[in-house]
Amino acid sequence: MTATRQGAVVALVGCLVAFTACGGTVDHLKANYATRTGNDFYKAQNYDKAIEWYRYGTYLNPDLAIAYYHTALSYMALYKPGSHHPKDIRYGQEAVDNLETYLRYYPDHDEAKGYLLNILLQAERYDDAGKFFEQELKRKETDPRAASQLMLTLGVIYAKKGDFDTSLEWYKKRAELEKDSPEALYTIGQLCWEKVYKAGQTLDMERRKQLIEMGLEYLKRASDLKENYFEAVLYINLLYREKAKVAQLTGNMEEVQKWMQEAETNQKVALEMRKKAMDKK
């Protein structure tokens, strides 16, 4: 090949590369314009039209992460929580898919993770929520603060599902991680009371007693760690009332009176603590 022809080939290849790069730039500019147009429709609450423009944006630029995020928000705006209508199931799934895509680009975006948790709970997809946040915990296990928050999130997920034992397990793991956290201890006591109160006499008597004592133990430890922790003391009051109910069921009226007195004493202390806390504000 002559030098002239070689030069011509190099020039042609250069032109093709430049044209391709230029074409990619144009598509990216169009994608940005499509996203801005989608934002205008979103602000006008025309979510279907907004989705069309956002999807056009990701068609032109598959790496335009913000368009996936806004697509998810649009589907969430259309979704009716708790609905099992096929349309709402699709809206919920699209919201989840787009949030998960966005989070692959920005895995530490807490607001997006909050939206994902919200939509999964609203759709009663507790196992999917648990799976996602357990993966998050593996990713963040070397960060104690983040790990603690994720354990709390997992406890909430399984409590919403009605899986008391798994919820309690995650709350206990959090309390083990944050040994000096009164809030971590408080959540366990609160969960125990909720289980005993809602289950009532359908709960095995021994299990009922066990949960009452467990709840009291954690709440008292929480109250010892935090001054004027009136929320914890109020739940101590409520658990003593549950203890009185158990005594009544067994016909031990002396203990009924004893535990009711404990409940009323703690209720009074809690109200005084609350007043002190309000006065400081």
Side-chain angles (χ1 to χ4, degrees):
M1 183 181 294
T2 66
T4 303
R5 289 186 65 189
Q6 284 180 334
V9 169
V10 170
L12 177 60
V13 171
C15 286
L16 289 171
V17 169
F19 178 78
T20 303
C22 181
T25 301
V26 169
D27 279 349
H28 285 196
L29 289 171
K30 286 181 178 178
N32 292 338
Y33 172 78
T35 300
R36 289 196 299 273
T37 304
N39 290 343
D40 291 336
F41 280 110
Y42 183 88
K43 289 173 186 174
Q45 298 183 8
N46 189 341
Y47 303 115
D48 287 313
K49 204 70 179 175
I51 289 166
E52 286 181 24
W53 280 98
Y54 292 141
R55 290 173 73 91
Y56 183 49
T58 54
Y59 167 75
L60 293 168
N61 179 8
D63 291 321
L64 189 58
I66 194 65
Y68 294 111
Y69 184 58
H70 287 159
T71 302
L73 296 184
S74 299
Y75 276 116
M76 286 179 69
L78 292 170
Y79 174 71
K80 292 181 181 177
S83 170
H84 297 289
H85 190 282
K87 181 175 65 176
D88 287 304
I89 291 172
R90 182 174 70 82
Y91 289 157
Q93 186 60 55
E94 290 284 0
V96 168
D97 290 344
N98 279 278
L99 284 168
E100 288 182 341
T101 300
Y102 174 78
L103 284 165
R104 285 198 283 273
Y105 291 93
Y106 297 102
D108 294 319
H109 193 268
D110 289 335
E111 189 174 67
K113 284 185 276 190
Y115 283 132
L116 180 61
L117 173 63
N118 191 44
I119 193 74
L120 288 172
L121 292 182
Q122 287 179 343
E124 299 176 358
R125 293 172 56 179
Y126 305 111
D127 290 333
D128 289 336
K131 183 179 178 181
F132 177 86
F133 285 97
E134 282 179 37
Q135 288 298 318
E136 280 291 293
L137 180 57
K138 287 178 183 177
R139 197 171 66 84
K140 292 285 189 178
E141 60 188 356
T142 57
D143 180 347
R145 192 170 183 177
S148 172
Q149 185 59 44
L150 287 163
M151 288 172 183
L152 174 61
T153 299
L154 286 161
V156 170
I157 289 167
Y158 288 106
K160 291 277 187 184
K161 182 185 177 182
D163 185 344
F164 171 81
D165 291 332
T166 306
S167 178
L168 180 62
E169 181 184 338
W170 283 114
Y171 283 153
K172 282 186 172 181
K173 284 181 179 179
R174 181 185 179 226
E176 288 168 11
L177 183 66
E178 289 201 69
K179 296 185 186 300
D180 297 324
S181 168
E183 285 78 12
L185 299 170
Y186 168 79
T187 54
I188 296 172
Q190 185 185 39
L191 183 72
C192 288
W193 171 81
E194 189 174 327
K195 176 67 174 177
V196 172
Y197 179 75
K198 288 185 176 179
Q201 294 185 42
T202 62
L203 192 63
D204 175 79
M205 183 64 78
E206 287 307 309
R207 180 63 169 156
R208 195 172 175 181
K209 289 178 181 178
Q210 181 190 25
L211 291 177
I212 290 170
E213 295 306 322
M214 183 190 300
L216 285 170
E217 178 196 345
Y218 279 99
L219 288 166
K220 286 175 181 178
R221 284 170 57 193
S223 179
D224 288 342
L225 285 171
K226 182 177 176 179
E227 187 180 1
N228 289 330
Y229 201 177
F230 65 86
E231 295 94 340
V233 181
L234 275 174
Y235 273 99
I236 291 171
N237 143 62
L238 292 173
L239 278 168
Y240 273 123
R241 293 180 189 277
E242 292 304 316
K243 201 166 181 175
K245 288 179 188 176
V246 169
Q248 188 171 27
L249 288 170
T250 58
N252 192 332
M253 300 313 294
E254 186 178 332
E255 285 207 342
V256 172
Q257 187 177 1
K258 177 183 175 181
W259 301 134
M260 284 304 295
Q261 284 178 347
E262 285 282 357
E264 287 164 10
T265 299
N266 279 278
Q267 183 181 44
K268 184 179 178 181
V269 169
L271 293 174
E272 288 172 357
M273 286 180 172
R274 186 175 183 275
K275 186 176 183 303
K276 284 180 184 177
M278 295 298 107
D279 289 342
K280 286 181 179 179
K281 291 184 178 181

